[in-house]
Amino acid sequence: IIIPAFNAEKHIERTLRSCINQTFEDANYEIIVVNDGSTDNTKRICMNYQAHIRYIECKTNKGLPSALNLGIKQAYSRYVVRVDSDDYIHEDFVKILYLILSLNNNIHAAACDYFIVDEQEMITTRANSSERPIGCGIMFRKDSLVEIGLYDEDFLMAEEVELKIRFEKRWPIERVKIPLYRYLKHEHNMTNNHRQYDKFIKRAKKKNSK
């Protein structure tokens, strides 16, 4: 599990608890937190969980795709999955996605459905991961990500869209019709900046139009 974190003190403890409290055997997965130059109490909170995580700290903020790439490169596993530092996951999240990939050699990535939740953890929407894709809750074969070149670090927004375009030129992303991911919708979501986000989406499509 890769958790990129930047000034995540408000929510990251819940994120970590959900990643630690998985039904999958502890010895068979790892949690990598990449602290991307946070200036709040993110590091202090992570240190409370250091027995359960691998902690990587960037002295300066380099951006989300850079943090993700660093985490992926450091991962020991054959499979990687991103969980954002304000979201959380069902206790069977790792087990189910792992089984799908490990038992199906022809599947290179599996994306679960998700619930959109508010600050009180109330479910507002159930989302289809194929119709409303997000960058999280997708377990990839690590070597497949490496093969396509990981995230483009020039995309400080819509990095997941650009990656998905390149990935799906090679392999489809399998939809898992179980809402195992909890996506927190709040005022600080990067996707709330619709104008800037749309610019990066257009740029991603243009880059990969050939």
Side-chain angles (χ1 to χ4, degrees), residues 11-181:
H11 301 111
I12 194 169
E13 192 160 13
R14 179 178 62 187
T15 306
L16 290 171
R17 287 198 305 267
S18 76
C19 292
I20 292 166
N21 296 325
Q22 291 289 298
T23 56
F24 200 61
E25 182 67 35
D26 288 353
N28 291 333
Y29 78 103
E30 61 179 347
I31 301 163
I32 300 176
V33 178
V34 182
N35 183 356
D36 189 27
S38 295
T39 57
D40 64 357
N41 289 314
T42 296
K43 179 178 181 178
R44 180 183 60 78
I45 294 168
C46 288
M47 291 300 97
N48 293 333
Y49 293 88
Q50 58 185 323
H52 304 282
I53 68 174
R54 287 175 61 200
Y55 177 79
I56 300 171
E57 184 172 348
C58 302
K59 297 302 182 184
T60 58
N61 177 246
K62 297 181 179 179
L64 178 56
S66 176
L68 288 166
N69 284 344
L70 179 57
I72 294 167
K73 290 172 184 176
Q74 291 292 319
Y76 296 131
S77 175
R78 294 177 60 193
Y79 313 108
V80 292
V81 62
R82 165 183 166 187
V83 175
D84 279 358
S85 60
D86 49 0
D87 300 335
Y88 55 106
I89 53 177
H90 185 273
E91 62 183 3
D92 292 321
F93 174 83
V94 172
K95 178 191 289 183
I96 291 174
L97 294 181
Y98 168 80
L99 284 173
I100 289 168
L101 289 183
S102 64
L103 296 176
N104 295 279
N105 290 332
N106 61 317
I107 296 176
H108 289 254
C112 64
D113 285 354
Y114 59 97
F115 288 131
I116 297 174
V117 298
D118 62 20
E119 290 279 9
Q120 286 71 48
E121 299 188 12
M122 297 296 293
I123 296 169
T124 61
T125 311
R126 174 174 172 157
N128 178 319
S129 61
S130 293
E131 295 175 355
R132 300 178 64 178
I134 54 175
C136 321
I138 309 170
M139 187 172 285
F140 293 95
R141 293 185 184 275
K142 179 182 173 182
D143 57 2
S144 299
L145 284 178
V146 171
E147 190 171 330
I148 67 165
L150 302 180
Y151 287 89
D152 186 331
E153 296 183 9
D154 289 334
F155 280 77
L156 297 181
M157 294 181 73
E159 77 295 326
E160 80 287 1
V161 175
E162 196 281 327
L163 179 82
K164 186 171 184 286
I165 292 171
R166 280 187 289 122
F167 195 91
E168 292 189 320
K169 285 183 176 181
R170 300 288 303 278
W171 312 283
I173 296 175
E174 184 80 8
R175 178 192 171 200
V176 179
K177 300 178 183 179
I178 310 173
L180 298 169
Y181 196 88

